[in-house]
Amino acid sequence: MKNLIVSKLSNKQPTKDISLDDIKYKIPKVTSKKNVVIKISKDVTFSKKTIPIIAGPNGVENRELMFKIAKFLKKNGMHIIRGHAYKPLTFPYRSKSYKESLDIGMDWMDEVKKYTGMSVVTELTEIKYLERVCKTADILQIGSRNMQNLELLREAALTGYPIILKRHFGASLRDMLGAAEHILVEGNNKLILCERGIAAPHTHKETSRFMLDVQAIVALKEIVKYPIISDPSHASFWAPWVSNLAYASIASGCDGLIIEMHPTPSKSAVDPLQPLNFRQFKNFLKQANKVSKVFKRKII
Ligand code: PEP
Ligand code: MN
């Protein structure tokens, strides 16, 4: 009987769950017991004590928008702004209002960064954009749709930049950690893992595409020392739920949050239902500070 259990635990067969063999042979780096602290700037460190907020719009739509948001965030004590100049879309058709701002968008982000001193998170969608992205970004985001784009992971890792790796909405934790291992094996230890919701039937809301897997945060924290951040905006797709899901993420032990926001959400060129407006963001911050204190963490 004992042998049977042991042989099950050291599972030699491929499985969707993480086995002891996996930890030993397949994902030894990402499950290493060494404590990880990732310093982004003088103001921002991902650590056991801090919960950095990465806030901003979905896309870098225009210069004015980015300045407006950056000034608001800065005034409210935020240090990291997000926004994507290059963007993968689920469907190939684009609304009239939406255009990828591409290199020009990165130039606007550059101006915003110089003006505010904030750190920049932006998505790297293809290797050909790597050079331009690296000129401005402080953290490279690998989107969920690219989680297993191994060439992209490798090239991103080789830059030495901090990387946010988002879990694909259909991927197991095992597959996610396998992808993370591809980054670590290139010698880049500045890895941040992001839970951003999984596809599952779960709700009365047809606008809510994904379900935030808070259990994944707790489970990952058990075996991974790299920061685990949460993106309730992309998970719920629905602004009225974002704050509560963020508090649940903090209670689950997350080490950072991605919060999408926009001065006029209904005018957001992509996903207008999910960004918080300025008032909602301020309220969120107030509550998030209280919740994080309960867990002896500090929102930054
Ligand atoms: C995003 O962060 O804007 C995004 C598209 O996220 P995801 O890859 O999780 O869908
Ligand atoms: Mn988005």
Side-chain angles (χ1 to χ4, degrees):
M1 187 62 182
K2 202 175 161 204
N3 280 344
L4 189 66
I5 292 169
V6 170
S7 72
K8 268 195 179 162
L9 271 177
S10 62
N11 194 345
K12 301 271 189 294
Q13 303 299 321
T15 165
K16 80 180 174 60
D17 290 322
I18 295 162
S19 68
L20 294 181
D21 270 1
D22 289 339
I23 290 177
K24 210 160 156 195
Y25 302 113
K26 296 193 169 82
I27 47 173
K29 290 185 188 296
V30 73
T31 55
S32 149
K33 299 263 187 300
K34 231 171 72 197
N35 191 32
V36 181
V37 173
I38 302 177
K39 191 171 159 84
I40 306 297
S41 68
K42 68 172 175 34
D43 301 311
V44 180
T45 302
F46 286 86
S47 73
K48 275 187 188 154
K49 293 186 183 146
T50 51
I51 302 181
I53 309 272
I54 298 164
N58 200 316
V60 178
E61 294 177 35
N62 58 65
R63 187 177 178 276
E64 291 66 35
L65 176 80
M66 296 319 293
F67 267 92
K68 195 170 184 177
I69 291 176
K71 283 179 187 167
F72 168 82
L73 289 174
K74 179 99 181 159
K75 209 169 132 201
N76 284 279
M78 300 288 93
H79 302 293
I80 315 179
I81 186 165
R82 61 154 271 152
H84 304 332
Y86 314 95
K87 267 204 70 63
L89 291 181
T90 303
F91 305 104
Y93 313 110
R94 287 164 194 257
S95 70
K96 270 210 194 92
S97 61
Y98 182 72
K99 251 176 58 220
E100 261 183 311
S101 51
L102 303 171
D103 294 4
I104 295 170
M106 288 311 298
D107 293 346
W108 297 329
M109 282 300 249
D110 214 52
E111 283 187 62
V112 159
K113 179 174 164 159
K114 286 192 179 117
Y115 183 78
T116 60
M118 294 179 85
S119 300
V120 167
V121 172
T122 198
E123 180 158 344
L124 175 70
T125 52
E126 296 185 50
I127 293 170
K128 68 180 178 197
Y129 299 133
L130 191 63
E131 206 179 315
R132 180 61 197 89
V133 165
C134 282
K135 264 193 207 152
T136 300
D138 298 279
I139 304 179
L140 311 179
Q141 177 172 313
I142 302 287
S144 53
R145 289 157 189 84
N146 271 318
M147 186 196 84
Q148 283 182 320
N149 184 339
L150 302 182
E151 254 185 85
L152 190 68
L153 294 184
R154 198 171 83 87
E155 292 301 320
L158 288 172
T159 64
Y161 276 53
I163 296 175
I164 292 175
L165 177 66
K166 286 189 142 192
R167 173 154 75 123
H168 186 272
F169 34 85
S172 64
L173 297 187
R174 186 173 188 261
D175 284 339
M176 184 204 210
L177 296 186
E181 194 79 8
H182 276 273
I183 292 171
L184 298 175
V185 89
E186 299 300 338
N188 186 339
N189 288 319
K190 295 181 202 140
L191 171 71
I192 298 161
L193 298 168
C194 180
E195 161 56 29
R196 51 78 70 212
I198 52 174
H202 64 287
T203 173
H204 64 285
K205 276 220 112 58
E206 58 199 35
T207 48
S208 172
R209 287 167 72 192
F210 304 108
M211 175 171 71
L212 185 70
D213 187 358
V214 281
Q215 188 167 314
I217 301 171
V218 185
L220 285 169
K221 295 290 298 176
E222 220 166 57
I223 54 168
V224 172
K225 297 277 188 229
Y226 288 91
I228 313 295
I229 68 170
S230 170
D231 177 350
S233 303
H234 286 84
S236 68
F237 217 67
W238 184 237
W241 292 359
V242 166
S243 299
N244 286 322
L245 293 172
Y247 310 146
S249 300
I250 297 170
S252 303
C254 80
D255 304 300
L257 287 160
I258 294 179
I259 303 289
E260 207 166 283
M261 38 91 66
H262 194 285
T264 326
S266 61
K267 295 225 170 88
S268 171
V270 207
D271 303 343
L273 300 176
Q274 80 190 26
L276 301 187
N277 64 29
F278 284 4
R279 183 183 46 79
Q280 291 166 330
F281 187 83
K282 271 184 156 181
N283 284 338
F284 151 73
L285 261 190
K286 223 157 112 193
Q287 296 300 329
N289 271 315
K290 287 189 199 159
V291 178
S292 59
K293 260 193 205 133
V294 174
F295 295 93
K296 301 198 168 43
R297 308 280 295 259
K298 193 171 171 350
I299 297 283
I300 55 170

